[in-house]
């Protein structure tokens, strides 16, 4: 008796499936080094040049970005390196550089020994654990709630806001009272929710060893309760190649395929909950936020990292900063790239932020000595303008003595020393003139430095010009040493991400502070990390080890 078509198809399908499994095993590759915890001395690790990305290859001695690209390009042409010696055929390597790299690299996956890789979970395992675990509406953070199928970031934030105002939910049916949740959505999310108070949910950690959120306990808790492993398809050879399978995320990007691993990292990177407590006015008085941020060695290569751009742009937009003094700029073109991202966003999270005038400009000092100090400002409807000090003085006083202005300009130009650098820029903020001095201290100020700073403050006060010194002062002692100036941030304010990093950012203002500033100021500590930013041998580092600071200045109607 002949075989039925169905039995033929079944045998063929089983054979095809077995072949697929064998091919998958042959093509199986381990997780890249960058997603492992830092290896200890007891578990040495060699870099597999057949799976390493450009960024990972650049961590090898003597390997530049151009050389890393050549290695990847050569690997794509030949398929894989069979021996370490094959690396000598790459343009720019040669025998001499190969001997330098040989102790650090390998081609056999089984030679890679890592204590961290044994505890790394796949993304699929993580998603399965999230689906089977109920999320508590009474203890989960916004970041955890938005992982529930059917809830996006806005609805999750509404749930937390309602819970903060009304207290814990007594029944899941009470969610119908939350803004944006109807009976249809409620029936869909109830199977994934519970009322239990679980302390462990607020103590989960990011894969870089840091609690999700620097100080705000309400932001603690992470979507990633274990190490996040990059999904690798059998044909995937590059970190930047698109993922070859569809993926649906439960945090607002539903039914949208992830075209790049960077989109995946961005979706799982923590962003703080934005509370609408500032809408460009306080107590009925219009005001504007001035900020300062030591971005730490800002280069084009650093800004090319999408995680750095996302953190910088979203931090500026979420906190409604209007004028930002930037310190430690190595390449001024990096500032231009930040403004381009703000004006024409290419990153999903920046593009989705609706409160953006997309009218951002930058100020780069003409003097080469102070180009490490730049300004970014929002020029929406011409409210904020960058002008010269002479224009500000003439516009404010009309009958100002020209020699007094020239004297002030000369004093500001001569203010720099070996211990600190300054850059001065005048602004008209909603018609209110102010001179901002961008300061970056490298050492402790001496008596001569303090005397010259005091002379500048006195000269500005003599012609009734509003002046503020803002930036990185390194120590609180440098802040206290400036006479006739009062700091808008107190000594206890922490302005660094890492406690081991030395730094003290502040805003100093001479004269009557109450008449110009409204007393509101602070340090931004949340949302400064991103899973796409390298942190040694792991990922999830900060865009800068320094926190941005802000203060609010009153502006006329």
């Amino acid at each position: 008796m002949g075989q039925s078509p169905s039995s033929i198809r079944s045998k063929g399908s089983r054979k095809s499936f077995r072949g697929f499994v064998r091919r998958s095993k042959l093509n199986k590759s381990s997780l890249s080094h960058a997603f492992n915890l830092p290896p200890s001395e007891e578990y040495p690790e060699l870099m597999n040049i057949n799976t390493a990305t450009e960024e990972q290859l650049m961590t090898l001695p003597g390997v530049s970005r151009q050389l890393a690209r050549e290695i990847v390009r050569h690997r794509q042409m030949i398929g894989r390196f069979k021996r370490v010696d094959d690396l000598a055929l790459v343009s720019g390597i040669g025998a001499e550089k190969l001997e330098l790299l040989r102790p650090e690299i390998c081609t056999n996956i089984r030679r890679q020994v890592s204590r961290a890789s044994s505890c790394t979970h796949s993304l699929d395992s993580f998603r399965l654990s999230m689906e089977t675990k109920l999320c508590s509406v009474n203890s989960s953070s916004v970041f955890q709630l938005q992982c529930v199928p059917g809830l996006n970031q806005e609805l999750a934030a509404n749930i937390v806001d309602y819970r903060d105002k009304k207290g814990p939910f007594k029944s899941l049916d009470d969610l119908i009272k939350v803004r944006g949740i109807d009976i249809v959505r409620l029936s869909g999310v109830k199977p994934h929710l519970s009322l239990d108070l679980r302390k462990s949910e607020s103590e989960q950690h990011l894969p870089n060893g840091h609690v999700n959120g620097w100080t705000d306990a309400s932001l603690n808790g992470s979507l990633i309760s274990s190490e996040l492993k990059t999904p690798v398809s059998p044909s995937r050879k590059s970190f930047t190649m698109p993922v070859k399978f569809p993926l649906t995320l439960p945090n607002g990007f539903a039914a949208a395929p992830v075209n790049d691993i960077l989109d995946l990292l961005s979706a799982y990177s923590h962003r703080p909950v934005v509370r609408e407590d500032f809408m460009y006015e306080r107590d009925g008085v219009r005001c504007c936020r001035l900020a300062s941020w030591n971005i730490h060695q800002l280069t084009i290569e650093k800004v090319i990292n999408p995680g750095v751009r996302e953190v910088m742009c979203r931090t500026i937009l979420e906190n409604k900063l209007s004028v930002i003094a930037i310190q430690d700029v190595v390449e001024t073109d990096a500032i231009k790239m930040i403004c381009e991202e703000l004006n024409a966003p290419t990153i999903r999270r920046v593009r989705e932020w609706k409160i953006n005038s997309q009218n951002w400009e930058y100020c780069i000092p003409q003097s080469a000595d102070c180009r490490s100090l730049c300004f970014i400002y929002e020029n929406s409807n011409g409210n904020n303008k960058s002008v010269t000090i002479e224009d500000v003085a003439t516009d404010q006083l009309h009958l100002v003595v020209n020699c007094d202005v020239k004297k002030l300009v000369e004093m500001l130009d001569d203010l720099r020393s070996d211990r600190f650098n300054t850059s001065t820029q005048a602004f008209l903020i909603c018609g209110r003139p102010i001179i901002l001095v961008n300061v970056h201290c490298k050492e402790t100020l001496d008596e001569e430095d303090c005397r010259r700073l005091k002379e500048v403050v006195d000269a500005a006060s003599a012609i009734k010009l509003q002046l503020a010194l803002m930036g990185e002062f390194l120590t609180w002692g440098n802040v206290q040493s400036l006479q006739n100036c009062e700091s808008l941030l107190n000594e206890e304010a922490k302005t660094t991400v890492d406690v081991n990093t030395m730094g003290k950012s502040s805003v100093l203002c001479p004269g009557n502070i109450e008449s110009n500033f409204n007393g509101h100021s602070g340090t931004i500590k949340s949302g400064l990390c991103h899973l796409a930013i390298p942190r040694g041998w792991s990922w999830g580092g900060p865009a800068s080890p320094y926190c941005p600071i802000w203060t609010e200045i009153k502006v006329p109607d």
Side-chain angles (χ1 to χ4, degrees):
M1 184 178 295
Q3 293 179 331
S4 65
S6 60
S7 63
I8 295 175
R9 284 195 300 269
S10 299
K11 289 182 178 179
S13 300
R14 288 195 296 270
K15 183 177 180 180
S16 177
F17 177 77
R18 288 195 298 269
F20 171 78
V21 171
R22 286 195 297 269
R23 288 193 300 271
S24 299
K25 290 181 178 180
L26 288 175
N27 290 326
K28 184 177 179 182
S29 61
S30 65
L31 185 64
S32 65
H33 285 60
F35 284 88
N36 289 340
L37 291 173
S40 66
E41 294 179 358
E42 299 175 1
Y43 295 87
E45 217 175 21
L46 299 180
M47 182 178 294
N48 188 343
I49 57 176
N50 282 321
T51 60
T53 65
E54 285 185 17
E55 288 77 9
Q56 295 166 329
L57 290 169
M58 289 171 60
T59 63
L60 294 171
V63 177
S64 61
R65 179 172 290 277
Q66 182 62 34
L67 188 54
R69 287 175 181 171
E70 287 294 327
I71 295 174
V72 173
R73 186 185 65 82
H74 187 86
R75 184 179 66 198
Q76 290 173 344
M77 287 194 320
I78 66 174
R80 68 184 300 272
F81 295 101
K82 296 181 179 179
R83 301 176 304 166
V84 171
D85 294 338
D86 294 342
L87 193 64
L89 301 177
V90 176
S91 176
I93 297 291
E96 185 174 341
K97 183 161 290 188
L98 175 63
E99 294 305 315
L100 180 65
L101 298 175
R102 190 184 296 276
E104 308 282 340
I105 60 177
C106 70
T107 58
N108 189 348
I109 297 175
R110 281 178 287 184
R111 291 185 61 189
Q112 293 177 275
V113 181
S114 173
R115 175 175 54 184
S117 61
S118 63
C119 63
T120 305
H121 300 281
S122 68
L123 180 62
D124 292 335
S125 300
F126 161 69
R127 291 182 61 204
L128 181 60
S129 65
M130 289 299 296
E131 291 173 359
T132 56
K133 179 181 178 182
L134 295 180
C135 186
S136 172
V137 294
N138 286 326
S139 62
S140 298
S141 66
V142 173
F143 200 61
Q144 291 168 314
L145 286 169
Q146 72 180 38
C147 304
V148 174
L151 294 180
N152 56 25
Q153 184 176 9
E154 180 181 359
L155 293 176
N158 291 343
I159 292 174
V160 173
D161 184 64
Y162 185 92
R163 184 179 70 199
D164 292 342
K165 292 178 180 178
K166 304 293 184 179
F169 292 93
K170 297 180 181 179
S171 170
L172 291 178
D173 292 330
D174 291 341
L175 287 171
I176 196 68
K177 302 175 183 179
V178 176
R179 186 173 69 256
I181 295 183
D182 53 24
I183 189 66
V184 176
R185 190 179 294 272
L186 178 60
S187 62
V189 300
K190 279 178 64 176
H192 306 283
L193 300 175
S194 72
L195 298 171
D196 297 335
L197 289 168
R198 287 196 290 260
K199 182 179 178 182
S200 60
E201 284 188 11
S202 63
E203 296 178 350
Q204 295 176 1
H205 293 260
L206 286 173
N208 60 355
H210 292 274
V211 177
N212 189 3
W214 295 104
T215 58
D216 191 350
S218 65
L219 298 179
N220 285 352
S222 172
L223 172 64
I224 306 173
S225 58
S226 59
E227 294 296 317
L228 174 63
K229 181 175 180 178
T230 312
V232 181
S233 64
S235 60
R236 186 172 174 86
K237 297 179 181 179
S238 172
F239 180 81
T240 57
M241 288 176 62
V243 181
K244 300 299 184 181
F245 56 88
L247 181 64
T248 302
L249 297 176
N251 63 344
F253 302 108
V258 179
N259 296 321
D260 196 281
I261 188 62
L262 295 174
D263 282 341
L264 181 65
L265 295 177
S266 178
Y268 283 94
S269 293
H270 162 71
R271 292 306 313 164
V273 180
V274 179
R275 301 188 181 275
E276 300 297 332
D277 60 340
F278 175 74
M279 293 304 294
Y280 302 99
E281 68 173 31
R282 291 279 187 187
D283 302 324
V285 179
R286 292 180 61 192
C287 53
C288 172
R289 279 190 175 177
L290 310 179
S292 174
W293 197 354
N294 181 355
I295 202 59
H296 186 60
Q297 299 178 4
L298 185 63
T299 61
I300 295 176
E301 184 175 351
K302 182 173 183 176
V303 174
I304 286 175
N305 185 303
V308 174
R309 293 204 311 279
E310 179 180 312
V311 168
M312 288 191 66
C313 294
R314 280 298 295 258
T315 299
I316 291 172
L317 295 173
E318 289 171 357
N319 295 276
K320 300 179 180 65
L321 309 180
S322 296
V323 181
I324 308 99
I326 306 291
Q327 298 91 43
D328 204 1
V329 178
V330 179
E331 296 175 291
T332 55
D333 285 342
I335 289 291
K336 300 178 183 178
M337 295 175 65
I338 294 296
C339 282
E340 289 173 358
E341 184 63 40
L342 287 167
N343 292 326
T346 59
I347 297 175
R348 176 183 296 179
R349 273 185 166 174
V350 181
R351 188 170 59 249
E352 290 178 343
W353 187 259
K354 303 301 181 183
I355 310 175
N356 182 8
S357 67
Q358 297 186 356
N359 194 3
W360 292 85
E361 299 181 10
Y362 54 86
C363 293
I364 298 176
Q366 295 181 353
S367 174
D369 296 335
C370 53
R371 286 192 175 179
S372 63
L373 306 172
C374 302
F375 288 90
I376 296 176
Y377 63 97
E378 182 187 22
N379 189 16
S380 177
N381 300 321
N383 288 335
N384 304 322
K385 296 180 180 179
S386 170
V387 293
T388 65
I389 299 177
E390 293 89 338
D391 291 340
V392 169
T394 304
D395 182 72
Q396 184 180 10
L397 301 178
H398 302 290
L399 299 176
V400 67
V401 179
N402 193 37
C403 62
D404 291 338
V405 179
K406 287 185 176 180
K407 179 181 178 182
L408 177 61
V409 173
E410 291 175 357
M411 294 172 65
L412 288 168
D413 290 339
D414 296 336
L415 202 55
R416 296 181 294 275
S417 73
D418 294 336
R419 287 166 293 280
F420 71 102
N421 196 9
T422 62
S423 174
T424 305
Q425 185 63 49
F427 288 92
L428 284 177
I429 301 177
C430 296
R432 184 189 187 97
I434 184 172
I435 298 175
L436 300 181
V437 182
N438 197 348
V439 181
H440 188 191
C441 292
K442 304 174 184 177
E443 300 178 15
T444 302
L445 302 180
D446 61 13
E447 294 183 0
E448 178 64 19
D449 297 328
C450 297
R451 183 190 63 79
R452 288 190 292 136
L453 284 167
K454 182 179 182 300
E455 289 180 352
V456 168
V457 171
D458 294 341
S461 301
I463 56 176
K464 300 179 181 179
L465 286 180
Q466 175 62 53
L467 183 140
L469 294 89
M470 55 198 308
E472 176 58 53
F473 290 89
L474 189 64
T475 65
W476 181 249
N478 284 341
V479 175
Q480 289 182 310
S481 64
L482 301 182
Q483 301 178 13
N484 299 340
C485 287
E486 184 174 345
S487 174
L488 299 181
L489 275 76
N490 57 36
E491 181 179 3
E492 288 74 25
K494 302 296 182 183
T495 61
T496 58
V497 174
D498 190 349
V499 294
N500 297 321
T501 302
M502 186 176 181
K504 187 63 179 180
S505 301
S506 189
V507 179
L508 304 180
C509 181
N512 188 358
I513 292 181
E514 288 77 9
S515 63
N516 301 311
F517 296 87
N518 61 12
H520 289 270
S521 60
T523 304
I524 302 171
K525 299 179 182 179
S526 296
L528 302 180
C529 291
H530 196 284
L531 288 174
I533 301 177
R535 191 187 188 105
W537 279 86
S538 63
W539 294 78
S544 170
Y546 303 92
C547 301
I549 62 171
W550 58 268
T551 188
E552 294 174 8
I553 185 173
K554 302 175 186 177
V555 295
D557 294 331

